[in-house]
Amino acid sequence: MASTQAAAATEQAPTKNPTLLAWVAKMAAMTQPDRIVWCDGSEAEKARLTEQAVKDGTLIPLNPKTRPGCYLHRSNPNDVARVEHLTFICTPNKTDAGPTNNWMEPEAAYTKLSQLFEGCMKGRTMYVVPYAMGPLGGASTKIGVELTDSDYVVLNMRIMTRMGKAALDMLGDSDDFNRGLHSTGDVNPDRRYICHFPQDNTIWSFGSGYGGNVLLGKKCLALRIGSYLGREEGWLAEHMLILGVTSPKGETTYIAAAFPSACGKTNFAMMIPPKEYAGWKIETVGDDIAWMRPGPDGRLYAINPEAGYFGVVPGTNYKTNPNAMETISKDTLFTNVALTPDGDVWWEGKDGEVPEELIDWQGKPWKKGSTEKAAHPNSRFTAPMSNNPVLSGKANDPQGVPISAIIFGGRRSNTVPLVLQAFNWTHGVFLGATMGSETTAAATGKVGVVRRDPMAMLPFCGYHMGDYLQHWLDMQKSIPQLPKIFQVNWFRQDKNGKFIWPGFGENMRVLEWIVNRVQGRVPTQETLLGWVPRQDQGLNLKGLDLPEEAIQEATSIKEDEWKSELKSQEVFFEQLGTKAPEALMLQRKLLIARLDG
Ligand code: GTP
Ligand code: SPV
Ligand code: MN
């Protein structure tokens, strides 16, 4: 059986790439699928897979009048988010993975997972999914091949990446591709592992069918393996959106921003400025991942390696994010939202009345007033970026865009002010390194607990966090025209637990200040933490219906809060041991001296 499949893999293959053929044959011999299908990315293939997914219940067609080309998928209720405790970096030495990653020795991991993969595709189809991360033909673009037994994964990869024949053509006969193996297995959390082998450019994912665990191009390749390659090759793989902001004078500034999972990247990347900003335009280059490398002109250039958005649904509406609403109006896969009686989808925070009756994300009847959520808090949409009305013309440019500012932002109900600018690159890296954020539903575990999340990369850094921070510091030498670094916090709360800052489109006011700082147009005020907008010539608050005290509170710096923040930062740096970069320890000392002085 196994050898028959191995032979079949070669016979039907639309490639002669010997390394690829040998690897597919080897994986097929282990997993023993009934069939092997090489995906070409065509419309006919999409139609075929969709039809089959509808037939087997994986996809529920939505009302073609209100949601043309859209489908609902319900994942196993035990499988609704990334599983950080089951995600491993498998390097020969434990110290190479560092204290913030789970580690397994590579041979031990291959052995353990081989036992799970052995025969797991019997009765199933193995899809061979060649894909490109980055614009086709680009110098920064990386090729991956994902073997999966899930038609849902194939249909998602088709949206999220440049998938199929074009990627295979770009690979040619090269052996330089990421080897991804995925099986949903029996969707048992006790037999679920997401393992990364950076030295082998390999990812093995077993026992999940959900998002970041299984769409291997995204968090696994573009961030965990990507960050490892970035350090070796002198670039940065980051959990960042990329946007272009154009002023009424026609001046475009490109900005990258790292916010942790479910902390506002997609929203910021496609926001519509408030009416006071007539003539300003925001365009999206990317909403989740940035690959950045120094360009020939000495600036830092960023590409978005993805081709679609795997975005948070709850909270999305025509007031908070009209462009996302347009984006998901057609050709979108919805995962774990609720179904309305007329075949549309619903979620908490959608516009309009709450429907009287729904089918909830688990397929159970739901009635208005129920204390249960109808949509899962981490329900997601998968939509092609070409649906985005404000997609940047540069989103497919293999050169990427020159980044003038980098923003770090967490979800903090206190402590961190609305916006500040770092004194310099090293201080900016310190701000990124000391980011904290309240946990969200994007990963399993408790929600709302503050944890250190350096550069929003805690769950995504493929090597030692201390080495990663040092790599950021070292990049300074290879970028003659350094981007300016900023920190923001949209999520400060008042005594009643209400967000003080209105956020969403109103974040344009903060963005304008950042643009003005980058262009050297406005003076600033120095504080203990960094430079902040001045009372005069600071944030443009015209038309913003917010009392003066609220602004004060959103921008306040409270020394007692900072004293406890510094303790929490210390615990994090201690964890890095001798790998805590000296320059960051000095930044820490300076901050303590300023606070005590
Ligand atoms: P990942 O896809 O998990 O990486 O998330 P993301 O960073 O792209 O987050 P996203 O933009 O999807 O926002 C997550 C949640 O935060 C949604 O429920 C949004 O409605 C909410 N949110 C986004 N921006 C703001 C903001 O400016 N203020 C407030 N209060 N909430 C926001
Ligand atoms: C995140 O959790 O940061 C996401 C969603 O963007 S997932 O693809 O599941 O990682
Ligand atoms: Mn993300």
Side-chain angles (χ1 to χ4, degrees):
M1 180 70 185
S3 59
T4 322
Q5 281 312 319
T10 314
E11 273 161 31
Q12 307 150 9
T15 176
K16 293 203 159 45
N17 184 316
T19 321
L20 177 56
L21 288 173
W23 170 68
V24 173
K26 193 172 165 193
M27 296 301 107
M30 174 168 68
T31 55
Q32 297 166 36
D34 276 13
R35 280 169 302 278
I36 297 175
V37 171
W38 289 73
C39 295
D40 60 14
S42 65
E43 285 298 323
E45 177 181 272
K46 176 189 173 186
R48 207 164 52 237
L49 285 171
T50 305
E51 193 188 336
Q52 180 193 312
V54 169
K55 214 178 278 169
D56 67 25
T58 306
L59 293 182
I60 299 166
L62 296 175
N63 188 330
K65 290 214 180 69
T66 47
R67 298 270 164 191
C70 296
Y71 296 83
L72 167 65
H73 170 75
R74 296 190 189 115
S75 74
N76 189 312
N78 78 28
D79 186 33
V80 295
R82 283 181 295 99
V83 281
E84 296 179 3
H85 61 296
L86 303 173
T87 299
F88 291 81
I89 301 296
C90 305
T91 44
N93 297 308
K94 189 168 196 280
T95 46
D96 292 338
T100 58
N101 281 313
N102 301 308
W103 174 81
M104 252 194 269
E105 194 276 318
E107 281 316 311
Y110 281 130
T111 305
K112 191 182 184 91
L113 269 74
S114 293
Q115 285 162 9
L116 299 172
F117 275 114
E118 191 71 45
C120 74
M121 293 193 192
K122 274 185 195 153
R124 301 185 187 182
T125 301
M126 173 193 269
Y127 298 97
V128 183
V129 185
Y131 63 94
M133 298 309 289
L136 288 163
S140 307
T141 297
K142 303 267 180 210
I143 299 292
V145 180
E146 176 165 354
L147 309 179
T148 178
D149 56 11
S150 158
D151 44 11
Y152 168 78
V153 167
V154 180
L155 288 166
N156 273 271
M157 287 295 282
R158 195 179 186 283
I159 298 173
M160 295 304 296
T161 71
R162 284 113 175 143
M163 183 272 254
K165 183 177 182 309
L168 203 56
D169 288 348
M170 184 176 160
L171 177 64
D173 278 343
S174 167
D175 64 357
D176 186 11
F177 63 94
N178 180 269
R179 293 139 176 80
L181 176 64
H182 164 251
S183 172
T184 43
D186 51 0
V187 204
N188 178 348
D190 296 331
R191 292 150 55 79
R192 183 172 294 158
Y193 294 95
I194 324 296
C195 288
H196 305 71
F197 304 87
Q199 275 81 2
D200 304 340
N201 200 2
T202 292
I203 303 156
W204 281 15
S205 167
F206 189 89
S208 169
Y210 192 82
N213 299 329
V214 300
L215 308 178
L216 300 185
K218 194 175 180 60
K219 298 297 154 82
C220 301
L221 170 52
L223 289 180
R224 298 198 189 92
I225 301 280
S227 61
Y228 171 89
L229 295 174
R231 181 178 178 229
E232 292 209 320
E233 300 168 2
W235 52 280
L236 296 164
E238 299 300 329
H239 193 199
M240 290 180 178
L241 68 95
I242 309 163
L243 63 76
V245 46
T246 304
S247 74
K249 290 196 182 116
E251 167 195 75
T252 301
T253 309
Y254 291 100
I255 289 175
F259 309 155
S261 301
C263 290
K265 288 183 299 300
T266 303
N267 278 270
F268 195 53
M270 53 179 77
M271 71 161 154
I272 296 186
K275 58 182 187 310
E276 292 76 20
Y277 281 83
W280 287 79
K281 197 168 60 181
I282 306 288
E283 289 171 309
T284 319
V285 179
D287 85 321
D288 197 48
I289 297 175
W291 283 356
M292 304 193 288
R293 63 173 75 225
D297 63 358
R299 294 191 286 178
L300 183 66
Y301 279 77
I303 65 159
N304 167 19
E306 302 189 279
Y309 309 136
F310 185 64
V312 175
V313 180
T316 307
N317 58 55
Y318 274 102
K319 192 157 172 285
T320 56
N321 194 347
N323 286 321
M325 291 301 284
E326 287 301 316
T327 302
I328 62 180
S329 65
K330 59 173 187 189
D331 300 326
T332 296
L333 302 176
F334 290 89
T335 300
N336 294 340
V337 296
L339 184 64
T340 69
D342 57 354
D344 199 357
V345 276
W346 192 85
W347 53 85
E348 278 71 19
K350 195 185 178 198
D351 305 271
E353 288 288 300
V354 177
E356 292 299 325
E357 290 191 351
L358 293 163
I359 305 294
D360 76 6
W361 66 276
Q362 298 192 60
K364 297 187 192 131
W366 182 97
K367 281 202 166 46
K368 186 175 177 175
S370 165
T371 51
E372 301 278 310
K373 299 245 189 252
H376 188 275
N378 190 38
S379 51
R380 297 264 167 176
F381 58 77
T382 319
M385 68 176 181
S386 56
N387 275 7
N388 179 359
V390 296
L391 182 70
S392 165
K394 299 275 187 186
N396 286 300
D397 185 339
Q399 306 300 322
V401 293
I403 298 297
S404 298
I406 290 173
I407 306 176
F408 294 115
R411 182 183 283 267
R412 294 300 297 272
S413 48
N414 50 46
T415 314
V416 180
L418 184 62
V419 59
L420 54 87
Q421 181 183 357
F423 297 127
N424 52 44
W425 181 264
T426 307
H427 182 234
V429 174
F430 176 75
L431 293 182
T434 53
M435 257 171 80
S437 197
E438 287 148 26
T439 49
T440 65
T444 55
K446 207 166 175 319
V447 166
V449 193
V450 176
R451 67 171 186 185
R452 309 322 307 174
D453 190 352
M455 277 119 175
M457 281 288 279
L458 181 74
F460 308 120
C461 182
Y463 60 102
H464 197 295
M465 186 56 77
D467 290 331
Y468 167 79
L469 297 175
Q470 188 61 52
H471 179 49
W472 261 87
L473 292 165
D474 293 343
M475 284 299 289
Q476 180 166 13
K477 297 185 206 109
S478 52
I479 315 166
Q481 292 198 57
L482 285 166
K484 305 281 188 287
I485 299 182
F486 298 82
Q487 182 174 42
V488 300
N489 178 20
W490 314 140
F491 297 96
R492 207 132 162 189
Q493 294 178 7
D494 64 15
K495 286 191 286 292
N496 306 317
K498 199 173 155 282
F499 292 122
I500 304 170
W501 180 251
F504 303 103
E506 303 294 351
N507 292 332
M508 181 65 219
R509 299 169 189 279
V510 173
L511 185 57
E512 185 198 14
W513 184 74
I514 289 173
V515 170
N516 281 335
R517 287 296 302 155
V518 165
Q519 309 291 353
R521 281 196 287 257
V522 285
T524 180
Q525 183 189 323
E526 185 168 332
T527 69
L528 298 170
L529 303 178
W531 288 318
V532 302
R534 277 168 48 149
Q535 288 283 343
D536 60 327
Q537 304 177 67
L539 292 175
N540 171 11
L541 300 173
K542 216 180 293 157
L544 186 66
D545 186 19
L546 205 61
E548 176 57 31
E549 310 84 74
I551 311 269
Q552 288 295 339
E553 185 61 18
T555 54
S556 65
I557 298 170
K558 296 179 181 160
E559 293 198 8
D560 56 332
E561 286 180 346
W562 275 91
K563 288 198 169 136
S564 49
E565 182 73 3
L566 270 154
K567 286 207 185 82
S568 160
Q569 292 179 5
E570 184 177 15
V571 175
F572 166 70
F573 281 124
E574 274 173 359
Q575 208 190 352
L576 301 184
T578 54
K579 290 216 187 235
E582 190 55 33
L584 298 186
M585 302 319 286
L586 288 170
Q587 287 293 330
R588 178 176 159 73
K589 279 191 188 145
L590 285 170
L591 175 56
I592 291 170
R594 290 197 294 270
L595 263 166
D596 290 345

